Amino acid sequence: MIPYVRDMEFEYGTAQQVSPLIRRVIANNPGPFTFRGTGTYIIGRGEVAVIDPGPDLPEHLDAILAAIAGETVKAILVTHNHADHSPLARPLADRTGAVTYGCPIAVPPGAAEVKMDDDHDEGFVADITVCAGGKIEGPGWTFEAIPTPGHTSNHICYALAQENALFSGDHIMGWSTTVIVPPDGDMGDYYESLRTISNRGFSTLWPTHGPPITEPAPFIDAYLAHRLDRERQILEQLTQGRERIADMVPIMYAAVDARLHPAAAQSVLAHMLHLVKSGQVATDDSAPGLKSAYRLV
Ligand SMILES: [Zn+2]
């Protein structure tokens, strides 16, 4: 079982000091993928960094600007191009003169365009690219950008040295597992990125949605175990003769809100593609997808 953390006390649009260096303002965009809403983090005092400015909601931009009144925004750090994370980055940069950091979505070799999910924010391109990592410094704070592909190909986590803390975006969330939508999302990359973070021994993880994870090691272990269990379930479905994802999801996700079943199907596909890549599962489809038939090798 994943030791989920979901309790949080907050008021929408109000900055809350959540650690010595960290303030958080939550946007009023709750939902089945965003939990209570997007948590925008403000780090430092006087000259600050802002992480994941959030969705295109004017009142959230106003709330961030109110929280930093009299201060300077030096850096805006974006974890990835999803509509609940990056759209306010440019407007906030325009209003504050801050430099934006993130990793642009790459077009895969041979493809004409980037194939993204519906929640993708194509509009945001960072001023400074940190796809290969990098350091971002201000008075009293030092960040290291850590590439963590999986949820999206361009996902970046940001480590705050002064608190041995990590802003984990949607890579690791306390309230839920993360959604992996192929082809931009990749399960094999995701496993690697979980191990990358696990090996770093952070004291606290601050996801963009929900409360912090204060015991990262057992949490990440449980996260990985959960994924391996899903793989085992898929192999079992194939053993029982179900060869299509649409027939597996209602059984595997019987306990989950049906509104989330389309996302669950994407997650099963992400697992399936990983199983195909690792040689455990085969398909005759040259472009394996949601509608393909799969079989055990
Ligand atoms: Zn996301």
Side-chain angles (χ1 to χ4, degrees), residues 79-120:
T79 60
H80 64 297
N81 284 52
H82 267 161
D84 51 331
H85 294 255
S86 52
L88 277 186
R90 185 51 54 197
L92 183 63
D94 288 345
R95 295 285 290 271
T96 61
V99 176
T100 60
Y101 296 80
C103 176
I105 302 273
V107 180
E113 58 180 77
V114 189
K115 283 221 180 82
M116 295 297 301
D117 53 274
D118 300 342
D119 287 330
H120 177 54

Side-chain angles (χ1 to χ4, degrees), residues 2-3 24 41 43 55 95 113 127 139-140 148 220 235 272 289 292:
I2 299 171
R24 183 184 61 204
Y41 293 102
I43 288 80
R95 295 285 290 271
E113 58 180 77
D127 299 322
T148 41
I220 296 170
L235 295 172
M272 199 71 89
S292 307

